[in-house]
Amino acid sequence: MSTLLSKDLNVNDLLRILTNKCKIPLSRALPVASTFLQNGLQSAETIASKNQQELTALCPNLTEQQTAKVISCFKTASRKRRAGKDSDLLNNSASKSRRRKARENDERESADLYSDSKYKIDMILDEASLSDVKVVVNRAPVLILFSVVSLSHQYPDFGIASCLSLASAAASVSASAKGASLGVNSSIYDIHKELREGYKTLKVLGQIEVAVLKQGERNGYWGLDLEAMAKARAKQDGSENELLWIKPDSVYSYLVRSFGKDGLRAVAGAFELLIRSWEIAEAQDSMTTNEADQNISDQNKRWVSKLWSWYVALRPEIEYGLRGWGQKGELSCSKILTRRAPEVKSDN
C-alpha cells in the first residue's frame, strides 16, 4: 500500500493534487491543504469520504464547483490506489522507500533548522570596543542583519532561526523592488508581487512586506523563497506549486561570509544597543505618562516606525543607480550608536 495515498500525504503532496489535478489556484489551495492536515485528512480515502456539505463546511473558501472537483479527484485517487496505480496521481516514479527516506531526511533537517543555538551571535555590547569598528560590506547583508536584530525584539518568541529566514525574504523583496526601479528584472518584481497574493504577510523593518509560512505548531514563521518559486514557475515542470521557504542556515552562513565573524559580532552588537536604547526610552516614557500598563506591542510600534529610516541613514554609501548595484561601502559601528535614543531624565 502506498504511503503517499494512505497515511502520509504532506502539505506539498496535497498542493500538487489540489493545483495540478483539481485546478485550484495556489492561493486557495494552501488553506485547504492546511485544513485537511489539521483535521486528520491525510489520505485520498479520508478526503474522498467527505460529502460536499461536509467539505464546504471545512473549506468555505472553495466554490461549489471546486468542492465537487476535489471530491472527484480524491475519489479517483482512492480507486487508483486500490488498483495499484497511485503513482500516476503525484507523477512520481520514486519507490516507496526512497520517498520515505526523503521524508525522514526532511524531518531531521527541519528539526535541526529549528535549533536556535546553531545561529547564536555572540554580540559585542561594549561601546568602547565598538567605537573604532568599521566593516566594508554591501547593503544586502546589512539589511538582513538589522532585520534579524529588530525582529528578535519585535517577536521574541519567534527565535533567531525564524528571524534569519524572514530577514532574508525581506532582502529579496527589497532587491527586486530596487531592480524594478532601475529597469532591471522588472518582470521578476511583478512575479514576486503575484506570488505573495493569498499568503499571510509580515512587515520587516516596519515597511518591507514578506510572504510567510507558519512553522507547523511552533512559534514563528519562515519567509517564503519567492525568487526560487519564480524560477520553478518558469520551468513549468510541475514544481511551481511547491512551497519553498528560506533556510536559516544558508542565511547565517551568508552573514558570516559578508561581515567576518568579528565584524558580525560587532555590527550585531551595535544594532542591538541601538534598539535596546529605544525600547528602554519608550518604556520610561510610558511610565512618566501614566501608561505603565500599556501593552509592549503598542510601545514597539513607535520605534518600529523608525527602523526603515535608520537603515537608510546607516547603510553603506555607494554610487547611485546601476553603478552602485552590489557595490561595497563602509559601515561604521560608531555611526550606528549615534542613532540611539537620548537619555531619559529621571524625575529626581
Side-chain angles (χ1 to χ4, degrees), residues 97-107:
S97 62
R98 287 179 61 190
R99 291 195 295 265
R100 184 172 60 252
K101 287 179 181 178
R103 282 201 181 87
E104 290 172 353
N105 288 337
D106 286 345
E107 289 172 0

Side-chain angles (χ1 to χ4, degrees), residues 121-126 149 152 264-266 268-270 272-273 276:
I121 300 172
D122 185 19
M123 299 179 183
I124 298 174
L125 299 173
D126 176 56
V149 176
S152 70
L264 180 61
R265 295 177 60 219
E272 175 73 13
L273 291 175
R276 278 189 194 180

Side-chain angles (χ1 to χ4, degrees), residues 83-256:
K85 298 177 181 178
D86 55 339
S87 61
D88 178 63
L89 175 68
L90 298 177
N91 194 25
N92 189 345
S93 61
S95 66
K96 282 199 308 181
S97 62
R98 287 179 61 190
R99 291 195 295 265
R100 184 172 60 252
K101 287 179 181 178
R103 282 201 181 87
E104 290 172 353
N105 288 337
D106 286 345
E107 289 172 0
R108 283 195 296 270
E109 177 189 4
S110 180
D112 193 38
L113 287 170
Y114 282 117
S115 177
D116 286 326
S117 60
K118 284 183 59 178
Y119 313 116
K120 183 178 179 181
I121 300 172
D122 185 19
M123 299 179 183
I124 298 174
L125 299 173
D126 176 56
E127 183 176 350
S129 300
L130 295 173
S131 60
D132 295 328
V133 176
K134 296 178 181 178
V135 180
V136 177
V137 65
N138 63 40
R139 288 179 172 180
V142 176
L143 188 151
I144 291 173
L145 184 55
F146 191 34
S147 297
V148 169
V149 176
S150 62
L151 285 167
S152 70
H153 284 265
Q154 285 180 261
Y155 308 103
D157 292 336
F158 279 14
I160 192 171
S162 177
C163 294
L164 285 163
S165 179
L166 294 169
S168 182
S172 178
V173 171
S174 179
S176 67
K178 180 66 174 178
S181 71
L182 296 174
V184 178
N185 292 333
S186 57
S187 60
I188 293 296
Y189 176 67
D190 292 337
I191 292 173
H192 280 199
K193 286 181 63 178
E194 182 181 342
L195 288 171
R196 281 203 305 271
E197 294 179 1
Y199 294 107
K200 179 180 176 64
T201 59
L202 181 148
K203 284 188 177 181
V204 179
L205 296 184
Q207 179 163 318
I208 306 172
E209 197 166 349
V210 300
V212 300
L213 179 66
K214 189 75 173 70
Q215 292 183 0
E217 296 181 357
R218 300 172 185 263
N219 291 325
Y221 294 88
W222 299 128
L224 286 182
D225 192 343
L226 297 182
E227 185 173 349
M229 290 170 68
K231 290 178 180 177
R233 181 177 183 177
K235 291 180 181 178
Q236 295 183 336
D237 60 358
S239 63
E240 66 270 17
N241 292 315
E242 291 191 20
L243 285 174
L244 303 174
W245 50 277
I246 297 173
K247 308 298 191 294
D249 54 348
S250 62
V251 185
Y252 182 78
S253 297
Y254 173 64
L255 290 177
V256 173

Side-chain angles (χ1 to χ4, degrees), residues 295-309:
N295 187 286
I296 188 66
S297 64
D298 291 333
Q299 296 172 19
N300 282 348
K301 288 179 183 177
R302 287 181 283 167
W303 64 261
V304 168
S305 67
K306 297 177 172 65
L307 288 171
W308 182 253
S309 63

